[in-house]
Coordinates of all heavy atoms in Angstrom, one line a residue:
M1 N 10.7 9.6 -20.0 CA 10.3 8.4 -19.3 C 11.4 7.5 -19.1 O 12.3 7.3 -20.0 CB 9.2 7.7 -20.1 CG 8.8 6.3 -19.5 SD 7.9 5.3 -20.6 CE 8.9 5.0 -22.0
T2 N 11.6 7.0 -17.9 CA 12.7 6.1 -17.6 C 12.1 4.8 -17.2 O 11.0 4.7 -16.7 CB 13.5 6.6 -16.4 OG1 14.0 7.9 -16.7 CG2 14.6 5.8 -16.0
E3 N 12.8 3.7 -17.5 CA 12.4 2.3 -17.2 C 13.1 1.8 -16.0 O 14.4 2.1 -15.9 CB 12.4 1.4 -18.3 CG 11.6 1.8 -19.5 CD 11.8 0.9 -20.7 OE1 13.0 0.7 -21.1 OE2 10.7 0.3 -21.2
W4 N 12.5 1.2 -15.0 CA 13.1 0.6 -13.8 C 12.7 -0.8 -13.6 O 11.6 -1.2 -14.0 CB 12.6 1.4 -12.6 CG 12.8 2.9 -12.6 CD1 12.0 3.9 -13.2 CD2 13.9 3.6 -12.1 NE1 12.5 5.1 -13.1 CE2 13.7 5.0 -12.4 CE3 15.1 3.3 -11.6 CZ2 14.6 6.0 -12.1 CZ3 16.0 4.3 -11.1 CH2 15.7 5.6 -11.4
I5 N 13.5 -1.6 -12.9 CA 13.2 -2.9 -12.5 C 13.4 -2.9 -11.0 O 14.4 -2.5 -10.4 CB 14.2 -3.9 -13.1 CG1 14.1 -4.0 -14.6 CG2 13.8 -5.3 -12.5 CD1 15.0 -5.0 -15.2
I6 N 12.3 -3.3 -10.3 CA 12.3 -3.4 -8.8 C 11.9 -4.8 -8.4 O 11.3 -5.5 -9.3 CB 11.4 -2.4 -8.1 CG1 9.9 -2.6 -8.6 CG2 11.8 -0.9 -8.4 CD1 8.9 -1.7 -7.9
S7 N 12.3 -5.2 -7.3 CA 12.0 -6.6 -6.9 C 10.9 -6.7 -5.9 O 10.6 -5.7 -5.1 CB 13.3 -7.3 -6.3 OG 13.7 -6.6 -5.2
C8 N 10.3 -7.9 -5.8 CA 9.2 -8.0 -4.8 C 9.5 -9.5 -4.2 O 9.9 -10.4 -4.9 CB 7.8 -8.1 -5.5 SG 6.5 -8.6 -4.4
E9 N 9.4 -9.5 -2.8 CA 9.7 -10.7 -2.1 C 8.4 -11.3 -1.8 O 7.6 -10.9 -0.8 CB 10.5 -10.3 -0.9 CG 10.9 -11.5 -0.1 CD 11.8 -12.5 -0.8 OE1 12.9 -12.1 -1.2 OE2 11.3 -13.6 -1.2
P10 N 8.0 -12.4 -2.5 CA 6.6 -13.1 -2.3 C 6.5 -13.7 -0.9 O 5.4 -14.0 -0.5 CB 6.6 -14.1 -3.4 CG 7.9 -14.3 -3.9 CD 8.7 -13.1 -3.6
K11 N 7.6 -13.9 -0.2 CA 7.4 -14.5 1.2 C 6.9 -13.4 2.2 O 6.6 -13.7 3.4 CB 8.7 -15.1 1.7 CG 9.9 -14.2 1.9 CD 11.1 -15.1 2.4 CE 12.2 -14.2 2.6 NZ 13.5 -15.0 3.0
Y12 N 6.9 -12.1 1.7 CA 6.5 -11.0 2.6 C 5.2 -10.3 2.0 O 4.4 -9.9 2.7 CB 7.5 -9.9 2.7 CG 8.7 -10.3 3.4 CD1 10.0 -10.3 2.7 CD2 8.7 -10.7 4.7 CE1 11.2 -10.7 3.3 CE2 9.9 -11.2 5.3 CZ 11.1 -11.1 4.6 OH 12.3 -11.6 5.2
Y13 N 5.1 -10.3 0.7 CA 3.9 -9.6 0.0 C 3.4 -10.5 -1.1 O 4.2 -10.9 -2.0 CB 4.4 -8.3 -0.5 CG 3.4 -7.4 -1.0 CD1 2.5 -6.7 -0.2 CD2 3.2 -7.1 -2.4 CE1 1.5 -5.9 -0.7 CE2 2.2 -6.4 -2.9 CZ 1.3 -5.7 -2.1 OH 0.3 -4.9 -2.6
D14 N 2.1 -10.8 -1.2 CA 1.5 -11.6 -2.2 C 1.1 -10.7 -3.3 O -0.1 -10.3 -3.5 CB 0.2 -12.3 -1.6 CG -0.3 -13.3 -2.6 OD1 0.1 -13.3 -3.8 OD2 -1.1 -14.1 -2.1
V15 N 2.1 -10.3 -4.2 CA 1.9 -9.4 -5.2 C 0.9 -9.9 -6.3 O 0.1 -9.2 -6.9 CB 3.2 -9.0 -5.9 CG1 3.9 -10.2 -6.6 CG2 3.1 -7.8 -6.9
D16 N 0.9 -11.2 -6.5 CA -0.1 -11.8 -7.5 C -1.5 -11.5 -7.1 O -2.3 -11.1 -7.8 CB 0.2 -13.3 -7.6 CG 1.4 -13.6 -8.2 OD1 1.9 -12.9 -9.2 OD2 2.0 -14.7 -8.0
R17 N -1.9 -11.8 -5.7 CA -3.2 -11.5 -5.3 C -3.5 -10.1 -5.3 O -4.7 -9.6 -5.6 CB -3.4 -12.1 -3.8 CG -3.7 -13.6 -3.8 CD -4.2 -14.1 -2.5 NE -5.4 -13.5 -2.1 CZ -5.5 -12.7 -0.9 NH1 -4.5 -12.6 -0.1 NH2 -6.6 -12.1 -0.6
A18 N -2.5 -9.2 -4.9 CA -2.8 -7.8 -4.9 C -3.2 -7.3 -6.3 O -4.1 -6.5 -6.4 CB -1.5 -7.1 -4.5
F19 N -2.5 -7.7 -7.4 CA -2.8 -7.3 -8.7 C -4.1 -7.9 -9.2 O -4.8 -7.4 -10.1 CB -1.7 -7.6 -9.6 CG -0.7 -6.5 -9.7 CD1 0.6 -6.7 -9.2 CD2 -0.9 -5.2 -10.2 CE1 1.6 -5.6 -9.2 CE2 0.0 -4.2 -10.1 CZ 1.3 -4.5 -9.7
Q20 N -4.6 -9.1 -8.6 CA -5.8 -9.6 -8.9 C -7.0 -8.8 -8.4 O -8.0 -8.7 -9.1 CB -6.0 -11.0 -8.3 CG -5.3 -12.1 -9.1 CD -5.5 -13.5 -8.4 OE1 -5.9 -13.5 -7.2 NE2 -5.3 -14.6 -9.2
F21 N -6.8 -8.2 -7.4 CA -7.9 -7.5 -6.7 C -7.8 -5.9 -6.8 O -8.7 -5.3 -6.5 CB -8.0 -7.8 -5.2 CG -8.5 -9.3 -5.0 CD1 -7.5 -10.3 -4.9 CD2 -9.8 -9.6 -5.1 CE1 -8.0 -11.6 -4.7 CE2 -10.2 -10.9 -5.0 CZ -9.3 -11.9 -4.8
L22 N -6.7 -5.4 -7.0 CA -6.5 -4.0 -7.0 C -6.0 -3.5 -8.4 O -5.2 -4.1 -9.1 CB -5.4 -3.5 -6.0 CG -5.7 -3.9 -4.5 CD1 -4.5 -3.6 -3.7 CD2 -6.9 -3.2 -4.0
D23 N -6.5 -2.3 -8.8 CA -6.1 -1.6 -10.0 C -4.8 -0.9 -9.8 O -4.0 -0.7 -10.8 CB -7.1 -0.7 -10.6 CG -8.4 -1.4 -11.0 OD1 -8.3 -2.6 -11.5 OD2 -9.5 -0.9 -10.9
K24 N -4.6 -0.4 -8.6 CA -3.4 0.4 -8.2 C -2.9 0.0 -6.9 O -3.5 -0.5 -6.1 CB -3.8 1.8 -8.1 CG -4.3 2.5 -9.4 CD -4.6 3.9 -9.1 CE -5.3 4.6 -10.4 NZ -5.6 5.9 -10.3
I25 N -1.6 0.0 -6.9 CA -0.8 -0.4 -5.7 C 0.1 0.7 -5.3 O 0.9 1.2 -6.1 CB -0.1 -1.7 -5.8 CG1 -1.1 -2.9 -6.1 CG2 0.8 -2.1 -4.6 CD1 -0.5 -4.2 -6.5
D26 N 0.2 1.1 -4.0 CA 1.2 1.8 -3.4 C 2.5 1.0 -3.3 O 2.4 -0.1 -2.8 CB 0.9 2.5 -2.1 CG -0.3 3.5 -2.2 OD1 -0.3 4.2 -3.1 OD2 -0.9 3.8 -1.2
W27 N 3.6 1.5 -3.8 CA 4.8 0.8 -3.6 C 5.9 1.7 -3.0 O 6.0 2.9 -3.3 CB 5.3 0.3 -5.0 CG 6.2 -0.9 -5.0 CD1 7.6 -0.9 -4.8 CD2 5.8 -2.2 -5.1 NE1 8.0 -2.2 -4.8 CE2 6.9 -3.1 -5.0 CE3 4.5 -2.8 -5.2 CZ2 6.9 -4.5 -5.0 CZ3 4.5 -4.2 -5.3 CH2 5.7 -5.0 -5.3
G28 N 6.7 1.2 -2.1 CA 7.7 2.0 -1.5 C 8.7 2.5 -2.5 O 9.1 1.8 -3.4
Q29 N 9.0 3.8 -2.5 CA 9.8 4.4 -3.5 C 11.2 4.4 -2.9 O 11.5 5.0 -1.9 CB 9.3 5.9 -3.6 CG 10.0 6.6 -4.7 CD 9.3 8.0 -4.9 OE1 8.2 8.2 -4.7 NE2 10.2 8.8 -5.5
S30 N 12.1 3.9 -3.7 CA 13.4 3.8 -3.3 C 14.5 4.4 -4.2 O 15.7 4.3 -4.0 CB 13.9 2.3 -3.1 OG 13.8 1.6 -4.3
S31 N 14.1 5.1 -5.3 CA 15.1 5.7 -6.1 C 14.4 7.0 -6.8 O 13.3 7.4 -6.3 CB 15.4 4.8 -7.2 OG 14.4 4.2 -7.8
N32 N 14.9 7.5 -7.9 CA 14.5 8.7 -8.5 C 13.3 8.4 -9.5 O 13.3 9.1 -10.6 CB 15.6 9.4 -9.2 CG 16.7 9.9 -8.1 OD1 16.3 10.3 -7.1 ND2 17.9 9.8 -8.5
I33 N 12.4 7.6 -9.1 CA 11.3 7.3 -10.0 C 10.4 8.5 -10.1 O 10.2 9.2 -9.1 CB 10.5 6.1 -9.5 CG1 11.4 4.8 -9.6 CG2 9.2 5.8 -10.3 CD1 10.9 3.6 -8.8
C34 N 9.9 8.8 -11.3 CA 9.0 9.9 -11.6 C 7.7 9.5 -12.2 O 7.6 8.4 -12.8 CB 9.7 10.8 -12.6 SG 11.3 11.6 -12.0
S35 N 6.7 10.3 -12.0 CA 5.4 10.1 -12.7 C 5.7 9.8 -14.2 O 6.4 10.5 -14.8 CB 4.4 11.2 -12.5 OG 4.1 11.3 -11.1
G36 N 4.9 8.8 -14.8 CA 5.1 8.5 -16.2 C 6.1 7.4 -16.4 O 6.2 6.9 -17.5
D37 N 7.0 7.1 -15.5 CA 8.0 6.1 -15.6 C 7.4 4.7 -15.7 O 6.3 4.5 -15.2 CB 9.1 6.1 -14.5 CG 10.0 7.2 -14.6 OD1 10.0 8.1 -15.6 OD2 10.8 7.4 -13.7
L38 N 8.1 3.8 -16.3 CA 7.6 2.4 -16.4 C 8.5 1.6 -15.3 O 9.7 1.7 -15.2 CB 8.0 1.8 -17.8 CG 7.1 2.1 -18.9 CD1 7.5 1.5 -20.1 CD2 5.5 1.7 -18.6
V39 N 7.8 0.8 -14.6 CA 8.4 0.1 -13.5 C 8.1 -1.5 -13.8 O 6.9 -1.8 -13.9 CB 7.9 0.4 -12.1 CG1 8.5 -0.6 -11.0 CG2 8.4 1.8 -11.8
Y40 N 9.1 -2.3 -13.9 CA 8.9 -3.7 -14.1 C 9.1 -4.3 -12.8 O 10.2 -4.1 -12.1 CB 9.9 -4.2 -15.1 CG 9.7 -3.6 -16.5 CD1 10.4 -2.5 -16.9 CD2 8.8 -4.2 -17.4 CE1 10.3 -2.0 -18.1 CE2 8.7 -3.7 -18.7 CZ 9.4 -2.5 -19.1 OH 9.2 -2.0 -20.3
I41 N 8.2 -5.2 -12.3 CA 8.4 -5.9 -11.0 C 8.9 -7.3 -11.2 O 8.2 -8.1 -11.8 CB 7.1 -5.9 -10.3 CG1 6.6 -4.4 -10.0 CG2 7.2 -6.6 -8.9 CD1 5.3 -4.3 -9.3
Y42 N 10.1 -7.5 -10.7 CA 10.7 -8.8 -10.8 C 10.2 -9.5 -9.3 O 10.5 -9.0 -8.3 CB 12.2 -8.7 -10.6 CG 12.9 -10.0 -10.6 CD1 13.3 -10.7 -11.7 CD2 13.4 -10.5 -9.3 CE1 13.9 -11.9 -11.5 CE2 14.1 -11.6 -9.2 CZ 14.3 -12.4 -10.3 OH 15.0 -13.6 -10.2
V43 N 9.7 -10.6 -9.5 CA 9.2 -11.5 -8.4 C 10.3 -12.5 -8.1 O 10.7 -13.3 -8.8 CB 7.8 -12.1 -8.6 CG1 7.4 -12.9 -7.4 CG2 6.8 -11.1 -9.0
N44 N 10.8 -12.3 -6.9 CA 12.0 -13.2 -6.4 C 11.5 -14.7 -6.3 O 10.4 -15.0 -6.6 CB 12.5 -12.7 -5.0 CG 13.2 -11.4 -5.2 OD1 13.6 -10.9 -6.2 ND2 13.3 -10.7 -4.1
T45 N 12.4 -15.5 -5.8 CA 12.2 -17.0 -5.6 C 10.9 -17.3 -4.9 O 10.5 -16.5 -4.0 CB 13.3 -17.5 -4.8 OG1 14.6 -17.2 -5.4 CG2 13.3 -19.0 -4.7
P46 N 10.1 -18.2 -5.4 CA 10.4 -19.2 -6.3 C 10.1 -18.8 -7.8 O 10.3 -19.6 -8.7 CB 9.5 -20.3 -5.9 CG 8.3 -19.7 -5.3 CD 8.8 -18.4 -4.7
I47 N 9.5 -17.7 -8.1 CA 9.1 -17.3 -9.4 C 10.3 -16.9 -10.2 O 10.5 -17.4 -11.4 CB 8.1 -16.1 -9.4 CG1 6.9 -16.4 -8.5 CG2 7.7 -15.7 -10.8 CD1 6.1 -17.6 -9.0
S48 N 11.2 -16.0 -9.8 CA 12.4 -15.6 -10.4 C 12.1 -15.1 -11.8 O 12.8 -15.5 -12.8 CB 13.4 -16.7 -10.4 OG 13.7 -17.1 -9.0
A49 N 11.3 -14.1 -11.9 CA 11.0 -13.6 -13.2 C 10.3 -12.2 -13.1 O 9.7 -11.9 -12.1 CB 10.0 -14.5 -14.0
I50 N 10.4 -11.4 -14.2 CA 9.7 -10.1 -14.3 C 8.2 -10.5 -14.6 O 7.9 -11.2 -15.6 CB 10.2 -9.2 -15.3 CG1 11.6 -8.8 -14.8 CG2 9.3 -8.0 -15.5 CD1 12.3 -7.9 -15.9
K51 N 7.3 -10.2 -13.8 CA 5.9 -10.6 -14.0 C 4.9 -9.3 -14.3 O 3.8 -9.6 -14.9 CB 5.3 -11.3 -12.8 CG 5.8 -12.7 -12.7 CD 5.0 -13.5 -11.7 CE 3.7 -13.7 -12.2 NZ 2.8 -14.6 -11.4
Y52 N 5.4 -8.1 -13.9 CA 4.5 -7.0 -14.0 C 5.2 -5.8 -14.6 O 6.3 -5.6 -14.3 CB 3.9 -6.6 -12.6 CG 3.1 -7.8 -12.0 CD1 3.7 -8.6 -11.1 CD2 1.9 -8.1 -12.5 CE1 3.1 -9.7 -10.5 CE2 1.2 -9.2 -11.9 CZ 1.8 -9.9 -11.0 OH 1.1 -11.0 -10.4
M53 N 4.4 -5.1 -15.4 CA 4.9 -3.8 -16.0 C 3.9 -2.8 -15.5 O 2.6 -2.9 -15.7 CB 4.9 -3.8 -17.5 CG 5.4 -2.5 -18.0 SD 5.4 -2.4 -19.8 CE 3.7 -2.3 -20.2
C54 N 4.4 -1.7 -14.8 CA 3.4 -0.7 -14.3 C 3.8 0.6 -14.7 O 5.0 0.9 -15.0 CB 3.5 -0.8 -12.7 SG 3.3 -2.4 -12.0
I55 N 2.8 1.5 -14.7 CA 3.1 3.0 -15.0 C 3.0 3.7 -13.7 O 2.0 3.6 -13.0 CB 2.2 3.5 -16.1 CG1 2.4 2.7 -17.4 CG2 2.4 5.0 -16.3 CD1 1.2 3.1 -18.4
V56 N 4.0 4.5 -13.4 CA 4.0 5.3 -12.2 C 3.0 6.5 -12.3 O 3.1 7.3 -13.2 CB 5.4 5.8 -11.9 CG1 5.3 6.7 -10.6 CG2 6.3 4.7 -11.7
N57 N 2.0 6.6 -11.4 CA 1.0 7.6 -11.4 C 1.4 8.8 -10.5 O 1.2 9.9 -10.8 CB -0.4 7.1 -11.0 CG -0.9 6.2 -12.0 OD1 -0.8 6.4 -13.2 ND2 -1.5 5.1 -11.4
K58 N 1.9 8.5 -9.3 CA 2.2 9.4 -8.3 C 3.5 9.1 -7.6 O 3.9 7.9 -7.5 CB 1.2 9.6 -7.3 CG -0.2 10.0 -7.8 CD -1.2 10.0 -6.5 CE -2.6 10.4 -7.1 NZ -3.5 10.3 -5.9
V59 N 4.3 10.1 -7.2 CA 5.5 9.8 -6.4 C 5.5 10.7 -5.2 O 4.7 11.6 -5.0 CB 6.8 10.2 -7.3 CG1 6.9 9.2 -8.4 CG2 6.8 11.6 -7.7
D60 N 6.4 10.3 -4.2 CA 6.6 11.1 -3.0 C 5.4 11.3 -2.2 O 5.1 12.4 -1.6 CB 7.2 12.5 -3.3 CG 8.5 12.4 -4.0 OD1 9.3 11.4 -3.7 OD2 8.9 13.3 -4.8
L61 N 4.5 10.2 -2.1 CA 3.4 10.2 -1.2 C 3.7 10.4 0.2 O 4.6 9.6 0.7 CB 2.5 9.0 -1.5 CG 2.0 8.8 -2.9 CD1 1.3 7.4 -2.9 CD2 1.1 9.8 -3.3
P62 N 3.2 11.3 0.9 CA 3.4 11.5 2.4 C 2.9 10.2 3.1 O 3.5 9.9 4.2 CB 2.8 12.7 2.8 CG 1.7 13.0 1.8 CD 2.2 12.3 0.5
V63 N 1.8 9.7 2.7 CA 1.2 8.4 3.3 C 0.7 7.6 2.3 O 0.3 8.1 1.2 CB 0.1 8.8 4.4 CG1 0.6 9.7 5.6 CG2 -1.0 9.6 3.7
A64 N 0.5 6.3 2.6 CA -0.2 5.4 1.7 C -1.6 5.8 1.3 O -2.4 6.2 2.2 CB -0.1 4.0 2.2
E65 N -2.0 5.7 0.1 CA -3.4 6.0 -0.3 C -4.2 4.7 -0.5 O -5.4 4.8 -0.4 CB -3.4 6.7 -1.6 CG -2.7 8.1 -1.5 CD -2.7 8.9 -2.8 OE1 -3.0 8.3 -3.9 OE2 -2.4 10.1 -2.8
I66 N -3.6 3.6 -0.6 CA -4.3 2.4 -0.8 C -4.0 1.4 0.3 O -2.8 1.2 0.7 CB -3.8 1.7 -2.2 CG1 -4.2 2.7 -3.3 CG2 -4.5 0.3 -2.4 CD1 -3.6 2.4 -4.6
D67 N -5.0 0.8 0.9 CA -4.9 -0.1 2.1 C -4.8 -1.5 1.5 O -5.8 -2.1 1.1 CB -6.0 0.0 2.9 CG -5.8 -0.9 4.2 OD1 -4.8 -1.6 4.3 OD2 -6.7 -0.8 5.1
D68 N -3.5 -2.0 1.4 CA -3.3 -3.3 0.8 C -2.8 -4.3 1.9 O -2.1 -5.2 1.6 CB -2.4 -3.3 -0.4 CG -1.0 -2.7 -0.1 OD1 -0.9 -2.1 1.0 OD2 -0.1 -2.9 -0.9
R69 N -3.0 -4.0 3.1 CA -2.5 -4.8 4.2 C -2.9 -6.2 4.2 O -2.1 -7.1 4.6 CB -2.9 -4.2 5.6 CG -4.3 -4.4 6.0 CD -4.6 -3.7 7.4 NE -4.8 -2.4 7.1 CZ -4.2 -1.4 8.0 NH1 -3.7 -1.8 9.2 NH2 -4.4 -0.2 7.8
E70 N -3.9 -6.6 3.5 CA -4.4 -8.0 3.5 C -3.4 -8.8 2.6 O -3.4 -10.1 2.6 CB -5.8 -8.1 2.9 CG -5.9 -7.7 1.5 CD -7.3 -7.9 1.0 OE1 -7.8 -9.0 0.7 OE2 -8.0 -6.8 0.9
F71 N -2.5 -8.2 1.8 CA -1.7 -8.9 0.9 C -0.2 -9.1 1.6 O 0.6 -9.8 0.9 CB -1.6 -8.2 -0.4 CG -2.9 -8.0 -1.1 CD1 -3.5 -6.7 -1.1 CD2 -3.6 -9.1 -1.5 CE1 -4.7 -6.6 -1.7 CE2 -4.9 -8.9 -2.1 CZ -5.4 -7.7 -2.1
F72 N 0.0 -8.5 2.7 CA 1.2 -8.7 3.5 C 1.0 -9.9 4.3 O 0.0 -10.2 4.9 CB 1.5 -7.5 4.3 CG 2.1 -6.4 3.6 CD1 1.3 -5.4 3.0 CD2 3.4 -6.2 3.6 CE1 1.9 -4.4 2.4 CE2 4.0 -5.1 2.9 CZ 3.2 -4.2 2.3
L73 N 1.9 -10.9 4.3 CA 1.8 -12.1 5.0 C 2.0 -11.9 6.5 O 1.5 -12.7 7.3 CB 2.8 -13.2 4.5 CG 2.7 -13.4 2.9 CD1 3.7 -14.5 2.5 CD2 1.3 -13.8 2.6
D74 N 2.6 -10.8 6.9 CA 2.7 -10.4 8.3 C 2.3 -8.9 8.4 O 3.0 -8.1 7.8 CB 4.1 -10.7 8.9 CG 4.3 -10.3 10.3 OD1 3.4 -9.6 10.8 OD2 5.3 -10.7 10.8
E75 N 1.2 -8.6 9.0 CA 0.8 -7.2 9.1 C 1.8 -6.3 9.6 O 1.9 -5.0 9.3 CB -0.5 -7.0 9.9 CG -1.1 -5.7 9.6 CD -2.5 -5.6 10.2 OE1 -3.3 -6.6 10.2 OE2 -2.9 -4.4 10.6
A76 N 2.8 -6.7 10.4 CA 3.9 -5.8 10.9 C 4.7 -5.3 9.8 O 5.2 -4.2 9.9 CB 4.7 -6.6 11.8
D77 N 4.8 -6.1 8.7 CA 5.5 -5.7 7.6 C 4.8 -4.5 6.8 O 5.4 -3.6 6.3 CB 5.7 -6.8 6.5 CG 6.7 -7.8 7.1 OD1 7.6 -7.4 7.9 OD2 6.5 -9.1 6.7
Y78 N 3.5 -4.5 6.9 CA 2.7 -3.4 6.3 C 3.1 -2.0 7.0 O 3.3 -1.1 6.3 CB 1.2 -3.7 6.5 CG 0.3 -2.5 6.0 CD1 0.1 -2.3 4.6 CD2 -0.2 -1.7 6.9 CE1 -0.7 -1.3 4.2 CE2 -1.0 -0.5 6.5 CZ -1.2 -0.4 5.1 OH -2.0 0.6 4.6
H79 N 3.2 -2.0 8.2 CA 3.4 -0.9 9.0 C 5.0 -0.4 8.8 O 5.3 0.8 9.0 CB 3.2 -1.0 10.5 CG 1.7 -1.1 10.7 ND1 0.8 -0.2 10.5 CD2 1.0 -2.3 11.1 CE1 -0.4 -0.7 10.7 NE2 -0.3 -2.0 11.1
N80 N 5.9 -1.3 8.5 CA 7.3 -1.0 8.3 C 7.6 -0.7 6.8 O 8.8 -0.3 6.6 CB 8.1 -2.1 8.8 CG 7.9 -2.4 10.3 OD1 7.8 -1.4 11.0 ND2 8.0 -3.6 10.7
Y81 N 6.6 -0.8 6.0 CA 7.0 -0.6 4.6 C 6.9 0.8 4.2 O 6.1 1.6 4.6 CB 5.9 -1.4 3.7 CG 6.3 -1.5 2.3 CD1 7.3 -2.3 1.8 CD2 5.5 -0.8 1.3 CE1 7.6 -2.4 0.5 CE2 5.8 -0.9 0.0 CZ 6.8 -1.7 -0.4 OH 7.2 -1.8 -1.7
G82 N 7.9 1.2 3.4 CA 8.0 2.7 3.0 C 7.1 3.1 2.0 O 6.5 2.4 1.3

């Protein structure tokens, strides 16, 4: 198991609301994260803190499994997110 810190930009994605309503979230994979790893989510300004600890369930998804478009502040960002 490896631990990672990734960031979230609240001006694009409402991560607080997403975690209020969803048990699982698809997140763009940008490194060698593996199933079972721990990921800490650092929420950028104005929060500027690590707010969430998550366990990775799946990696290398060919398509998103969870529709969380309502938490993107601009739906175009949903379609551009990896």
